[in-house]
Amino acid sequence: MSGAPVYSLSDRAQAATSSAAWVRFAAPASLDEFWASWLDILCAQVGRVNGALLFLGGDGGGSYQPAAAWPGSFSNLVHLGPTAEETLKQRRGVVSIGAAPEPVMVGYPIELDGRLCGAVVLDIEPRSEAGVQLALRLVHWGSAWAIDMLRQQQVSDLTRRAEYLGLANEVIATTLQEIRLGSALLAAANELVARLGCERVAIGLKRGDGVLVEAISHTATFDSRSDLVRRIGDAMEEVLDLDVAIVHPPLGEDAIANLAHAALSSARSDACLLSVPLVDDGDMVGVITFERVRERPFDSSELGLCKTVGMLLGPIVELKRYQERGLWQRSVDALRGGAKALFGPGRPGIKLISLIVVLVIAAVTLVDTTYRVASQTVIEGEVQRAMVAPFRGYVAESFVRSGDTVKSGQALARLDDRELVLERTRWQSEAEQAQRRLRQAAAIQDRAAMLIASAQSEQARAKLALVEEQISRATLKAPFDGIVVVGDLSQLLGSPLEQGAVLFEIAPLDSYRVVLNVDEREIADVRVGQRGELALSGMPYQLLPFSVQQITPISTPQDGRNFFRVEARLERATDRLRPGMEGIGKVEIGDRKLIWIWTHSLVDWMWLWSWKWLR
């Protein structure tokens, strides 16, 4: 390119310049000085160089910036840009030779462990192909120094990061050793003061829209209304408002305004300040403010370290504060979290479940349904006749037992009547003898003897009639068609019986009553005439309607609770019914809200409990 400038130096001046470059290269005062001296030496080695540029960068983002230029003017080296781009793109040495007398562009990439770190581009005067190859070789050899410096930088960065990580781990370990939040914050502040050589470290936590100073290093207690604490709080709130870390004095020219930090610095004899946010899951939960004497300002590396400490301490501080919440705060946080999940973005599953719950609550609150009182139920015969022993005797025969169906007049059992037959014979004889004595007294006209004989005859006939009646009752017969509910004499043949002993109980087959044992807590809702349905254990799928006929005003204790006997009549009987069958009966009370049906028992119990203990 004919417009490219050409620089020339006398041999003596070139030697002096080279010597100075070697001195700066051997002991550079800064990294920029090292790269400038390295490029000077490289240009001197290649010779007849019109200009050179060194590009470095590529850390993650792929952006490369000029790090050094020779002979020092960036504006006259713009023509090296295309060659640099080609070199970075191809990641190999590039030579661009134009028509004579155009200069030659030489580019060479700088790589470290397979990572492209930059490129150096030289504008050299035209020369032979061998001269160009020599220049390219010299650039290749010279790049070793650049790679070595980059490696040293890498090692230095890793070492510094390890130190920072170790410091951060020690601060975190110190914080975790304390159980209470206040003690943990004070321990963290003391550790940071010792590790970073600060005069003071203060930690504040976000409270609403402001920041409250919670801990100051080496200070067990402090007055939050003091001027110092107030100024520290203002500086922390400045970080909260701007949502950035603040350094005073600022590190760069484009630093943001920090009026509160400047005021705190002036009050502390122009102290150097650094404030970084405590961050938990992207949200600022507090601020750490570091203070040093003005002779030791904070640099960019310490800013990065303090930011790291803030990001690591934030979750720990928030966790400890979360654990120390009161009951009220826990409830508020739970409601806030539920509202965020319910009304915030995402979480469709929770929203769907909440909608279903709301619909269910609305249904049970607004919908009416029939309220029914359930109770244990047993079937009894409407009439239940007991067959008893008519006299003292023995069981001779038994024809039926429990569960048998009998017809009216059917023989159930027969008692042994042999003694009664003998007794009948005796009284028959007594009656005949009394009659004979009566005739004899009448023949002799003995009125007294007639009266006595007549009385004896009447007595004998009465006794005979009684015996005849007992003999006729020796065979027990069914009074009506029905079923034997109780009684089985087949195992008692020949056993003695007392007069009046119950031998059988018979119930009719076409007339039943339902007995419901209603809990005392529900008996107030039951009324005569109410209807219901019955499901028996033996017929669970057939519902039998009934109506309430009578409520017995006497309770019976059972299983620690009181039950009232309620009698009802079946409206439709079935031939499958048998006395003694049990099941569940439900009496229809009326329409109630679903929520009342499901909760009234609990509400009643709570009301009684409160009345007992609180009133």
Side-chain angles (χ1 to χ4, degrees), residues 382 481 508-512 573:
E382 187 173 12
D481 294 347
L509 290 174
D510 56 352
S511 181
Y512 298 97

Side-chain angles (χ1 to χ4, degrees), residues 300-524:
S300 58
S301 62
E302 291 174 327
L303 174 60
L305 169 63
C306 293
K307 285 183 177 180
T308 302
V309 171
M311 288 188 293
L312 294 177
L313 276 181
I316 299 175
V317 171
E318 188 64 14
L319 178 61
K320 289 186 175 294
R321 183 162 65 170
Y322 182 83
Q323 293 174 341
E324 291 188 4
R325 296 173 305 160
L327 178 61
W328 171 255
Q329 188 62 38
R330 291 174 185 267
S331 302
V332 171
D333 291 344
L335 291 175
R336 185 181 294 114
K340 183 178 180 181
L342 185 59
F343 301 106
R347 313 296 288 273
I350 293 180
K351 292 180 174 60
L352 178 60
I353 294 174
S354 301
L355 178 60
I356 294 174
V357 171
V358 169
L359 293 177
V360 171
I361 293 176
V364 300
T365 305
L366 302 176
V367 174
D368 289 337
T369 188
T370 302
Y371 170 53
R372 299 188 295 179
V373 173
S375 63
Q376 293 290 332
T377 305
V378 63
I379 297 294
E380 292 183 356
E382 187 173 12
V383 178
Q384 193 159 301
R385 182 72 59 84
M387 306 299 295
V388 300
F391 51 83
R392 296 180 61 181
Y394 300 90
V395 178
E397 293 180 286
S398 178
F399 306 112
V400 297
R401 57 183 178 177
S402 299
D404 289 348
T405 302
V406 297
K407 298 293 184 177
S408 178
Q410 179 180 342
L412 305 179
R414 187 177 63 83
L415 302 184
D416 189 353
D417 58 354
R418 288 177 295 179
E419 292 184 1
L420 293 176
V421 172
L422 294 176
E423 187 75 10
R424 182 180 60 184
T425 303
R426 171 193 167 194
W427 287 112
Q428 286 177 347
S429 176
E430 288 286 341
E432 292 176 355
Q433 291 178 8
Q435 189 66 27
R436 188 179 304 111
R437 287 194 293 273
L438 176 61
R439 289 195 298 269
Q440 290 176 357
I444 62 175
Q445 298 295 318
D446 188 351
R447 297 186 61 84
M450 290 177 59
L451 292 175
I452 293 173
S454 177
Q456 289 177 344
S457 176
E458 292 292 335
Q459 180 183 13
R461 286 197 297 270
K463 289 288 186 179
L464 180 59
L466 176 62
V467 172
E468 291 286 354
E469 178 65 21
Q470 289 179 334
I471 292 175
S472 65
R473 295 173 59 187
T475 301
L476 301 179
K477 298 180 180 180
F480 48 75
D481 294 347
I483 184 173
V484 178
V485 179
V486 177
D488 183 5
L489 303 182
S490 60
Q491 305 296 324
L492 299 176
L493 297 179
S495 299
L497 296 175
E498 294 293 333
Q499 184 178 1
V502 177
L503 304 181
F504 298 99
E505 289 185 5
I506 301 175
L509 290 174
D510 56 352
S511 181
Y512 298 97
R513 64 182 174 185
V514 179
V515 177
L516 300 97
N517 294 319
V518 180
D519 194 304
E520 63 178 348
R521 295 174 297 181
E522 309 285 355
I523 193 63

